[in-house]
Amino acid sequence: MRLLILAALLAMPLPAPAETRDARVTVARDYVDLALQGFDMAAVIETMYQPILQQVAAAGQTLSDEQVAAIRALYLGTFTDPMMALMRDQAEIMADIMTLGEITALRDFYATPEGRSAMAKLPQLTAAQEPGVIALINDRTGALMPQVLAIINDEAPPAPTAQP
């Protein structure tokens, strides 16, 4: 009987070694490095000032190529290094909220041609969605603010208004 129990115990898979935060950070840094290889930070930053250019154009003002280039340079100079630092810092955040398996899966995906291609296309996705997100926020903020203020001031919320 003892031999049977011993054989059964030996046949059981061993538990995976306990994952540590350091292990998660290490794999997350690998993921971040892979993700940043094909990431076009300039394209992301360009999406930040496009709404401003659109507002200026909607107001009837025409900007010269030099003015647009100056705005681009200003945004790139202001945001490139800090945004890269934020992205690199995400390894620590990932290690705090994700499992080693999840981080490893992300890293492994972004190491594939499809993963690199998807990462390279994220700025385009962001740029395509941003006008809709901004319009949604602008559309709903006017109705939300009185309700938010009522909550902050411990007042009864105003009666809802019909949405268009």
Side-chain angles (χ1 to χ4, degrees):
M1 184 67 165
R2 285 183 182 167
L3 286 175
L4 186 58
I5 293 172
L6 180 60
L9 288 173
L10 290 175
M12 293 176 66
L14 294 174
E19 64 179 60
T20 64
R21 184 176 190 282
D22 288 342
R24 292 191 305 272
V25 169
T26 298
V27 176
R29 284 188 179 133
D30 291 344
Y31 156 78
V32 169
D33 289 342
L34 281 169
L36 290 178
Q37 285 177 10
F39 194 75
D40 188 352
M41 182 60 74
V44 172
I45 293 170
E46 287 169 354
T47 67
M48 295 166 66
Y49 64 84
Q50 289 305 314
I52 296 169
L53 298 181
Q54 293 166 359
Q55 287 177 346
V56 169
Q61 185 174 354
T62 302
L63 298 177
S64 69
D65 291 342
E66 292 80 19
Q67 289 171 308
V68 172
I71 292 169
R72 180 179 192 275
L74 176 64
Y75 269 75
L76 289 175
T78 300
F79 291 108
T80 300
D81 290 341
M83 287 187 65
M84 290 298 283
L86 282 173
M87 291 188 74
R88 290 205 183 284
D89 288 346
Q90 80 180 348
E92 299 283 334
I93 298 166
M94 291 173 74
D96 289 337
I97 62 174
M98 294 181 172
T99 67
L100 183 60
E102 292 167 336
I103 299 167
T104 301
L106 283 172
R107 181 205 58 199
D108 293 350
F109 173 68
Y110 285 112
T112 67
E114 295 82 5
R116 287 189 298 275
S117 178
M119 181 57 74
K121 293 175 182 172
L122 286 179
Q124 295 168 340
L125 176 62
T126 301
Q129 282 188 306
E130 190 170 25
V133 170
I134 290 171
L136 175 64
I137 291 168
N138 288 340
D139 181 54
R140 304 290 169 91
T141 298
L144 284 178
M145 287 315 297
Q147 296 174 51
V148 169
L149 291 172
I151 293 168
I152 290 170
N153 295 321
D154 285 326
E155 300 169 352
T161 58
Q163 294 291 322

